[in-house]
Amino acid sequence: MGVSKMATMTEESKTKERVEMREQPPLVRARNFREVPYGYSPEEAFEEAGRCLSCKNGPCREGCPVGVDIPGFIGLIKERRYLDACYKVKERNALPAVCGRVCPQELQCESRCLMGKKGKPVAIGNLERFVADYEAANGDMKIPERPRSTGRKVAVIGSGPGGLTCAVDLAKSGHHVTLFEALHKPGGVLIYGIPEFRLPKAIVEREVEYITKLGVEFVPNAVIGKLYTIDELMNGRGYDSCFICIGAGLPMFLGIPGENLNGVCSANEYLTRANLMKAYLFPEYDTPIKVGKRVAVLGGGNVAMDSARVALRLGAEKVYLIYRRSEAEMPARKAEVHHAHEEGIEFVLLTNPAGFVDDGKGNVCAVECIKMELGEPDETGRRRPVPVKGSEFQIEIDVAIPALGTRANPILTKTVPDLMINRKGYIVAEEGSGMTSKPGVFAGGDIVTGSATVILAMGAGRRAANAVNEYLKWKYWEFK
Amino acid sequence: MYKILKKEDLSEQITLFDIEAGDIAQKARAGNFFILRTHEQGERIPLTIADFDRGRGTITTVFQKVGKTTHHLGTFNEGDYITDVIGPLGNHSHIDNFGRVVCVGGGVGIAPVYPIARALKEAGNKVTSIIGARSKSILFWEEKMRRVSDDLIITTDDGSCGTKAVVTVPLEDILSSEKVDLVVAIGPAVMMKFVCRTTATYNVKTIVSLNSIMIDATGMCGGCRVEIGGETKYTCVDGPEFDGHLVDFDLLMKRLQAYIPEEHTAMCGGKMNGGK
Ligand SMILES: Cc1cc2nc3c(=O)[nH]c(=O)nc-3n(C[C@H](O)[C@H](O)[C@H](O)COP(=O)(O)OP(=O)(O)OC[C@H]3O[C@@H](n4cnc5c(N)ncnc54)[C@H](O)[C@@H]3O)c2cc1C
Ligand SMILES: Cc1cc2nc3c(=O)[nH]c(=O)nc-3n(C[C@H](O)[C@H](O)[C@H](O)COP(=O)(O)OP(=O)(O)OC[C@H]3O[C@@H](n4cnc5c(N)ncnc54)[C@H](O)[C@@H]3O)c2cc1C
Ligand code: FES
């Protein structure tokens, strides 16, 4: 099958090089918070779209967790119908400007692209970003006509990508949707976690504007579990159904000596200060952040990469990224690892932190490390790092940022006794529907799966919206 | 947006607000706190819910002007709006009939001690309250505290009101003369540290409310970490009240100083920009 497809490849597309996005030069961007890639011009997008083979069965589409009609939207770019291309994407993905920027395309759509067999895959993510930005710049925000109200009320809890997607779909179905958010701003990780230079906040704000235009009522500053419980929403406040999509926001620490010294702060704290509170604009904004001359970030995921690059932009002279495995095992998006290298972040691989050293005044002044080597594969299939005896060494630092992943936050779940959670505190929910043990209550996103991706949370939000619709029709509940 | 319905300057540095926040008032209990953000560029700071009125839908807060945000907050007037108010947060106080209790409030800590003393009194305890401040001019709520206490003792560092002493002096007098079942102490970290030292020698259980630096106050950042009996806890979700005998106060005090240089810049920058 692969061969017959190859045969349809036009001579022209075969020889064409992937059109890479122009970017701010590494040493310039490493000192500012502006977005790294500039985006495609229409000409560049047109040229890149020309590389697409328009495969009939669209293997790329199978790589997309929400099944965007990729050959379809790229076909529209080939016709220079950029707005239509954007609407095509939006049929399946409500947040293309976000996903074009942050999805791990190399593991999803682009990994299936036939062009990638011989050379580089079509830059699907870049094209998605282009059409979304084109629409933002040139199109009117297309607000679908509001359907007749069903008279039903649904509460969506958490305004990350999962909650936003679910709220949009439910509003389109004619329900009265209230989106409750603990923080003062909507967007979840898109607002508090992912930095400006990777995902400009104006983009998230535009998406939120879209959902309020759809009639979704947004209630910030509402910590569910504290201000209201789920039962109060369902009984006293008249909600017919709830979708819980509160992310996995609890930071993990290593449990090593010195972790509570000043200068050691979780990636969540560091990024929340920088992004949500805009500490990078301090003192114009009031929230301070430790700038640090020499910064160590511990971890190898997107969160670690983002923290390291924020530290650099705040003005650190030296930023170390300490990771216990090798670069191949890093779970971060490949593009961001590449960017981090270019910007001069020093990767200290196969190294585990063992403790933090006190300067005598309660501040961290060094991180104690030990070298690791890769042993047998563990349950994730990655080779397990084991310490090398006698290889201890120290790195002098004044800020350390553990970015070791996150866990479920019990603040809501502990107030819902009939909501089944697993050993680690994640909500137990059916994969296809998000249905939980509590009638009328659905859940999805990171609070069900553990830390995953934007697109997977969006997929869960969409499936839950469908399931809520079914539930409101039949009021039938059977869990497991 | 949350409207300020009442403003009262309790002293030069200490101000009281009643803030319209109906749903928070419905849920608030003694010991809870809330987070506020004064304006779009503002930071999130925690303040105790010093009182609440469910009927009027208001929460009362008493704050001391110590830095940029609290000074800015002090410029707000009745009828002005605070951009964000989030609560009720933290665990509420454990109220029971313990028997004989002593409530100690130092400085602005008098405000958070008040609802706890009231609840303890209503639960049937015999309550002695000790309130202390540097001087008479910054003391407040003497009458309010008197109404919810069987006995009220006032101390000031300079003797301008009540006894010239720190709060631990009358506390020690009580502990050495009768059996006390519980001490609740809220105030500056050093005060709580010395109260706990005093009560430890008499083996009297002591509850303190910690004032760590916070951001989200929902357990999401870990910035409010403290050590309780050698274990790391989050003040916002595990506290703010803890068993005072287990608290590492020196660590708390060091962590409270984490942003001193930045706070300085903020204050200077603020003044240069016209005192925003
Ligand atoms: C720094 C960082 C970088 C990342 N980079 C990428 C990337 O490049 N690509 C990618 O695909 N994924 C990335 N991820 C992962 C991705 O962001 C998450 O998987 C995704 O956001 C999960 O979406 P969600 O809707 O489940 O929850 P979240 O985005 O976590 O949103 C949950 C929301 O619920 C709110 N909430 C929590 N508790 C309550 C409560 N009790 N009451 C009311 N509201 C509550 C929270 O404040 C939050 O706003 C990154 C994550 C981080 C932290
Ligand atoms: C649970 C809790 C309840 C509190 N209740 C009250 C109260 O009822 N009345 C009151 O006057 N104060 C209270 N505080 C302290 C109050 O939050 C701080 O005084 C305030 O944040 C200082 O902000 P600033 O910008 O004015 O001063 P800054 O210049 O920022 O700081 C001055 C000092 O205040 C402390 N501080 C700074 N930022 C914070 C922060 N985000 N959280 C806590 N402390 C901080 C530090 O020790 C710092 O050195 C409480 C704190 C906590 C954690
Ligand atoms: S304030 Fe962020 S975890 Fe407590």
Side-chain angles (χ1 to χ4, degrees):
Chain A
M1 184 196 88
V3 177
S4 71
K5 272 284 162 277
M6 286 305 214
T8 66
M9 196 187 269
T10 64
E11 280 311 307
E12 209 191 350
S13 65
K14 232 188 299 182
T15 54
K16 270 197 184 154
E17 292 268 333
R18 170 161 158 146
V19 182
E20 299 297 348
M21 263 191 195
R22 285 166 297 114
E23 296 176 342
Q24 282 194 66
L27 296 181
V28 174
R29 71 184 191 234
R31 297 293 174 201
N32 70 52
F33 275 83
R34 291 193 300 275
E35 195 172 10
V36 171
Y38 294 121
Y40 280 154
S41 66
E43 271 324 303
E44 288 167 323
F46 180 77
E47 192 185 332
E48 179 61 18
R51 294 178 67 231
C52 172
L53 306 173
S54 306
C55 309
K56 251 223 188 76
N57 58 350
C60 48
R61 199 173 172 167
E62 283 155 33
C64 175
V66 295
V68 167
D69 180 359
I70 295 167
F73 98 81
I74 295 182
L76 289 163
I77 299 178
K78 288 184 187 176
E79 296 174 32
R80 297 189 190 270
R81 291 165 58 193
Y82 306 129
L83 283 178
D84 290 332
C86 183
Y87 301 145
K88 185 66 138 186
V89 179
K90 282 194 162 176
E91 283 172 13
R92 306 291 303 197
N93 179 341
L95 306 172
V98 173
C99 289
R101 287 171 167 83
V102 306
C103 271
Q105 287 94 4
E106 74 271 16
L107 303 175
Q108 300 176 356
C109 51
E110 293 182 18
S111 73
R112 315 286 177 98
C113 177
L114 285 184
M115 288 292 285
K117 298 249 159 29
K118 282 235 164 128
K120 286 192 171 171
V122 174
I124 301 170
N126 289 355
L127 290 171
E128 182 184 26
R129 171 182 162 173
F130 165 74
V131 296
D133 289 357
Y134 186 89
E135 187 212 21
N138 299 293
D140 289 329
M141 194 183 274
K142 211 166 96 175
I143 309 294
E145 227 170 273
R146 299 260 293 267
R148 270 216 5 242
S149 165
T150 59
R152 307 291 195 146
K153 280 173 75 177
V154 185
V156 174
I157 296 141
S159 64
L164 291 175
T165 306
C166 187
V168 165
D169 284 4
L170 288 169
K172 284 184 182 161
S173 305
H175 308 307
H176 178 88
V177 183
T178 312
L179 184 54
F180 292 99
E181 167 57 49
L183 294 171
H184 55 266
K185 269 214 181 98
V189 170
L190 308 181
I191 279 287
Y192 80 72
I194 304 182
E196 179 75 17
F197 56 83
R198 209 147 71 74
L199 178 63
K201 299 308 148 218
I203 290 171
V204 185
E205 281 155 16
R206 195 181 129 86
E207 299 303 343
V208 170
E209 189 193 330
Y210 172 74
I211 79 156
T212 41
K213 286 201 173 142
L214 279 177
V216 173
E217 179 195 5
F218 175 63
V219 182
N221 301 335
V223 183
I224 306 303
K226 287 287 180 186
L227 187 61
Y228 318 116
T229 61
I230 296 291
D231 280 321
E232 283 162 359
L233 292 176
M234 303 273 288
N235 304 328
R237 291 180 181 263
Y239 287 94
D240 298 287
S241 182
C242 285
F243 175 56
I244 303 175
C245 194
I246 55 174
L250 231 58
M252 291 204 272
F253 285 89
L254 286 150
I256 57 178
E259 215 157 25
N260 294 334
L261 289 170
N262 285 340
V264 182
C265 71
S266 76
N268 263 16
E269 176 180 352
Y270 199 73
L271 293 172
T272 302
R273 283 179 183 274
N275 302 323
L276 178 72
M277 306 309 297
K278 297 215 186 318
Y280 68 92
L281 298 174
F282 178 85
E284 188 194 325
Y285 280 70
D286 292 343
T287 305
I289 191 163
K290 277 280 159 235
V291 170
K293 278 204 170 68
R294 300 164 64 85
V295 178
V297 175
L298 318 174
N302 282 319
V303 185
M305 237 38 83
D306 284 346
S307 306
R309 297 172 70 201
V310 165
L312 201 62
R313 282 159 173 77
L314 286 172
E317 284 159 18
K318 186 85 209 165
V319 180
Y320 301 95
L321 192 114
I322 302 176
Y323 183 54
R324 62 201 183 104
R325 305 181 198 248
S326 68
E327 193 169 322
E329 282 89 15
M330 282 192 174
R333 216 175 158 245
K334 287 290 163 283
E336 308 313 336
V337 175
H338 172 70
H339 281 145
H341 270 301
E342 280 187 336
E343 290 167 12
I345 308 257
E346 186 170 327
F347 285 48
V348 185
L349 301 168
L350 287 165
T351 300
N352 215 20
F356 299 100
V357 185
D358 190 338
D359 70 349
K361 295 185 214 129
N363 307 305
V364 64
C365 65
V367 53
E368 175 82 46
C369 299
I370 183 158
K371 280 274 165 209
M372 309 293 277
E373 58 192 6
L374 292 179
E376 295 298 305
D378 64 9
E379 65 279 2
T380 66
R382 296 182 300 179
R383 291 173 65 194
R384 188 193 301 275
V386 286
V388 180
K389 277 219 176 69
S391 66
E392 293 82 359
F393 66 104
Q394 286 192 354
I395 304 177
E396 248 179 69
I397 50 159
D398 53 1
V399 168
I401 309 171
L404 306 156
T406 50
R407 294 174 292 140
N409 189 337
I411 201 163
L412 181 150
T413 49
K414 74 178 181 196
T415 64
V416 198
D418 47 347
L419 185 68
M420 197 194 283
I421 55 175
N422 68 17
R423 208 168 24 86
K424 291 185 168 166
Y426 294 108
I427 299 176
V428 179
E430 258 179 41
E431 206 191 319
S433 64
M435 201 180 253
T436 68
S437 61
K438 188 174 171 66
V441 176
F442 297 81
D446 283 4
I447 187 59
V448 170
T449 57
S451 304
T453 60
V454 169
I455 192 73
L456 288 175
M458 289 174 58
R462 164 146 299 174
R463 287 194 302 277
N466 291 335
V468 168
N469 273 328
E470 285 302 301
Y471 168 70
L472 292 178
K473 238 182 264 162
W474 309 105
K475 288 273 172 149
Y476 175 72
W477 202 262
E478 194 188 283
F479 177 63
K480 280 240 174 96
Chain B
M1 299 290 264
Y2 303 78
K3 192 171 180 179
I4 298 168
L5 295 185
K6 175 178 160 195
K7 176 180 182 177
E8 188 185 337
D9 286 319
L10 300 180
S11 78
E12 217 168 90
Q13 292 160 34
I14 297 179
T15 301
L16 173 150
F17 281 162
D18 282 349
I19 304 169
E20 192 171 53
D23 289 348
I24 300 177
Q26 292 315 314
K27 275 296 180 72
R29 302 193 39 193
N32 284 142
F33 68 96
F34 69 102
I35 287 271
L36 68 74
R37 201 173 65 122
T38 47
H39 63 304
E40 195 48 41
Q41 287 77 27
E43 63 178 336
R44 295 166 63 103
I45 64 157
L47 294 172
T48 305
I49 300 179
D51 206 348
F52 45 83
D53 184 332
R54 300 215 164 104
R56 270 173 82 219
T58 58
I59 56 172
T60 301
T61 182
V62 174
F63 62 93
Q64 180 172 13
K65 289 171 242 175
V66 293
K68 176 147 190 208
T69 303
T70 44
H71 274 103
H72 181 210
L73 194 62
T75 66
F76 283 56
N77 288 312
E78 278 173 21
D80 288 347
Y81 288 86
I82 297 172
T83 302
D84 296 295
V85 171
I86 303 127
L89 297 166
N91 300 302
H92 58 77
S93 311
H94 172 62
I95 303 296
D96 210 333
N97 190 351
F98 300 98
R100 180 84 180 87
V101 301
V102 178
C103 293
V104 184
V108 74
I110 297 168
V113 143
Y114 166 74
I116 300 173
R118 181 177 61 186
L120 286 169
K121 177 92 177 102
E122 281 166 5
N125 293 281
K126 178 161 189 272
V127 178
T128 297
S129 296
I130 304 172
I131 58 175
R134 245 177 301 124
S135 84
K136 183 179 163 71
S137 64
I138 39 181
L139 204 63
F140 61 96
W141 279 12
E142 296 98 308
E143 280 320 305
K144 245 177 121 127
M145 283 302 292
R146 205 181 301 280
R147 280 199 298 275
V148 299
S149 315
D150 294 281
D151 277 310
L152 178 73
I153 298 167
I154 298 173
T155 67
T156 47
D157 294 2
D158 63 2
S160 53
C161 185
T163 321
K164 180 176 172 170
V166 288
V167 292
T168 43
V169 175
L171 175 64
E172 176 124 35
D173 288 346
I174 300 171
L175 294 174
S176 60
S177 61
E178 56 183 309
K179 187 184 165 294
V180 170
D181 300 293
L182 179 75
V183 171
V184 178
I186 309 181
V190 275
M191 182 208 93
M192 295 191 280
K193 174 176 166 173
F194 284 102
V195 165
C196 290
R197 269 216 192 144
T198 308
T199 57
T201 53
Y202 295 91
N203 216 356
V204 176
K205 184 170 167 102
T206 305
I207 299 292
V208 293
S209 180
L210 304 185
N211 59 343
S212 332
I213 294 177
M214 296 187 177
I215 307 180
D216 58 294
T218 62
M220 186 264 260
C221 75
C224 62
R225 314 201 283 296
V226 286
E227 279 178 30
I228 310 295
E231 236 186 281
T232 296
K233 297 275 179 195
Y234 291 3
T235 306
C236 66
V237 288
D238 300 322
E241 292 181 2
F242 293 101
D243 178 342
H245 295 151
L246 300 178
V247 173
D248 183 340
F249 283 105
D250 295 335
L251 179 72
L252 174 71
M253 287 188 269
K254 274 185 199 142
R255 289 186 62 84
L256 281 170
Q257 312 216 320
Y259 291 94
I260 295 272
E262 289 82 3
E263 285 155 9
H264 231 82
T265 312
M267 281 301 277
C268 298
K271 288 222 176 81
M272 282 183 323
N273 297 335
K276 228 208 164 172

